[in-house]
Amino acid sequence: MNPLIRLGELGQSVWYDYITRDLLISGDLARLIANDGLRGMTSNPTIFDKAITGSRLYDDDIRRLADKGRSAGEIFETLAVTDVQAACDAFLPLYQRTTGTDGLVSLEVSPTLAHDAEATLREAERLWSAVDRPNAMIKIPGTRAGLPAITKSIAAGISVNVTLLFSVERYAEVIEAFLAGLEQRLNRGLSIGAITSVASFFVSRVDGKVDPLLDASDAPALLRGTAAIANACMAYRLFEESLDRPQWKRLAESGAQPQRPLWASTSTKDPRYPDTYYVEALIAPRTVNTLPPETLIAYRDHGNPAVRIQEGVAAAPDRLEALKRAGVDLGQVTRELEDEGVEKFAASYRSLLAAIEAKVGQLV
């Protein structure tokens, strides 16, 4: 059996961490859905930067919009919304078959707003309205300022992909923000059954920050490559515990869907680790894994699907304690990763706008 399809049977939804217009118009997306069990798609400014600047497929639209006097930001938003709408339409039958669990496509608010709660909420509402698809999701950074925007967006009936999560502590706050939004909506007598949310917990970047610290110390070599998986497993344990809370059970009785953990950044950055290293370790029911193209291809070729998360959850506390004894301050690491993640996406966004302006100069 195709290992990607087997992941779905084990309860983990495979989403594609990639979007570009040729994928949508060539039929490749339809084939991925039909043949590989693809169940959703995510996007971010870095992905759109590569898609738009690395292709001529968008040039006619850029020229047309520039002729209408649109700014670079307005041009990007129009292009992104168009692609997300097309992807949503391709996934709509799956969304309907799974009663809203899968078949979802994410579009991110501008990362330059990551520390402005009110501006983030306004943009989330505007993008949700612009895409106008039931299976769209709006990505909101899980920064401290993002928390109230998450609650208010959920309360407004917007499906939210909470992104850029690195610490279990922040994830706990995201769970509370999600539950608060559902309760606010329910208290107003509104339906909560159609709201879908995921919490995107970034994985490999943690080892990318911790491993060099270990290499520079006298820590045992066997600690390399353990921080990211242990951190993610603790997040999964927190997710499971949240489903046992009376608060959640009351919401579930009213039709609420759980906010599933989504494993992001699961491609292997260190060539010393197998290319499916993080995917294999984090297979778990009621989770999502977003795979970039190269990791999806690798897993299709030689993945070995089996639910292993409970082994990781059992081992995680001892692994984290060993890292602490080795001098790793995981709290400091995850704070730095959040700041760097926000800046990385903001830099991609600025680069993308600059590239569109350059294209306008060439095309008009």
Side-chain angles (χ1 to χ4, degrees):
M1 175 179 287
N2 183 330
L4 295 167
I5 293 177
R6 180 60 181 151
L7 288 179
E9 294 180 346
L10 294 173
Q12 183 168 80
S13 297
V14 175
W15 292 4
Y16 211 25
D17 196 23
Y18 183 69
I19 189 169
T20 187
R21 189 158 295 178
D22 57 351
L23 178 71
L24 302 172
I25 64 178
S26 66
D28 286 346
L29 177 57
R31 284 187 284 274
L32 286 167
I33 295 170
N35 301 333
D36 292 316
L38 191 69
R39 301 175 77 85
M41 178 176 280
T42 57
S43 67
N44 60 47
T46 302
I47 290 171
F48 273 119
D49 188 15
K50 293 177 182 177
I52 294 171
T53 63
S55 167
R56 299 182 63 86
L57 290 172
Y58 298 87
D59 288 2
D60 288 344
D61 284 344
I62 291 173
R63 183 185 297 107
R64 174 177 56 81
L65 293 165
D67 286 342
K68 293 182 177 180
R70 301 291 192 267
S71 68
E74 290 169 330
I75 291 172
F76 163 64
E77 183 174 309
T78 300
L79 299 177
V81 165
T82 300
D83 281 4
V84 168
Q85 286 175 326
C88 283
D89 292 345
F91 278 109
L92 184 60
L94 176 63
Y95 174 78
Q96 294 169 334
R97 278 202 312 275
T98 60
T99 60
T101 300
D102 282 311
L104 297 141
V105 185
S106 298
L107 177 62
E108 188 161 353
V109 300
S110 169
T112 62
L113 306 176
H115 301 298
D116 186 332
E118 289 304 316
T120 294
L121 175 62
R122 287 195 299 270
E123 178 134 327
E125 291 174 333
R126 189 171 55 76
L127 291 175
W128 177 255
S129 178
V131 176
D132 192 26
R133 297 294 190 275
N135 53 331
M137 300 187 91
I138 303 301
K139 290 178 84 170
I140 297 176
T143 57
R144 187 164 300 282
L147 296 172
I150 293 162
T151 295
K152 292 176 181 178
S153 294
I154 294 291
I158 298 171
S159 292
V160 174
N161 178 340
V162 183
T163 189
L164 284 176
L165 295 177
F166 296 94
S167 76
V168 176
E169 293 76 17
R170 180 55 55 78
Y171 175 46
E173 295 176 322
V174 165
I175 291 174
E176 298 303 325
F178 167 67
L179 295 177
L182 290 178
E183 289 196 324
Q184 288 180 20
R185 186 169 176 82
L186 193 60
N187 289 339
R188 297 203 299 266
L190 299 172
S191 171
I192 57 176
I195 298 171
T196 307
S197 185
V198 294
S200 295
F201 205 85
F202 282 56
V203 182
S204 66
R205 292 190 195 181
V206 175
D207 281 341
K209 180 77 76 169
V210 170
D211 283 354
L213 299 176
L214 296 172
D215 292 342
S217 71
D218 57 359
L222 56 81
L223 288 180
R224 290 188 96 262
T226 64
I229 292 170
N231 193 45
C233 285
M234 293 301 288
Y236 185 75
R237 187 176 78 171
L238 186 63
F239 164 68
E240 287 192 309
E241 290 171 351
S242 75
L243 299 183
D244 286 331
R245 292 166 52 175
Q247 180 187 20
W248 168 251
K249 291 180 179 179
R250 287 194 304 270
L251 290 166
E253 288 172 359
S254 296
Q257 300 183 57
Q259 182 190 58
R260 290 178 293 171
L262 179 154
W263 309 128
S265 185
T266 53
S267 61
T268 303
K269 310 298 191 294
D270 189 328
R272 286 173 285 186
Y273 302 144
D275 53 7
T276 60
Y277 182 65
Y278 297 105
V279 182
E280 299 289 26
L282 298 175
I283 300 170
R286 289 190 289 198
T287 60
V288 178
N289 198 326
T290 53
L291 304 181
E294 62 275 10
T295 307
L296 185 140
I297 291 168
Y299 204 83
R300 179 202 291 142
D301 179 69
H302 51 269
N304 182 26
V307 175
R308 302 181 179 90
I309 193 75
Q310 296 303 341
E311 300 167 17
V313 169
D318 288 343
R319 288 182 175 178
L320 294 175
E321 181 59 32
L323 289 163
K324 184 177 179 181
R325 289 197 301 270
V328 174
D329 183 345
L330 195 58
Q332 177 65 27
V333 166
T334 54
R335 284 190 294 273
E336 291 176 2
L337 284 168
E338 180 183 300
D339 291 341
E340 292 169 4
V342 170
E343 178 51 37
K344 178 182 177 181
F345 282 158
S348 291
Y349 181 74
R350 291 190 292 267
S351 172
L352 172 58
L353 296 189
I356 289 174
E357 288 178 351
K359 277 205 170 192
V360 168
Q362 298 165 6
L363 296 170
V364 176

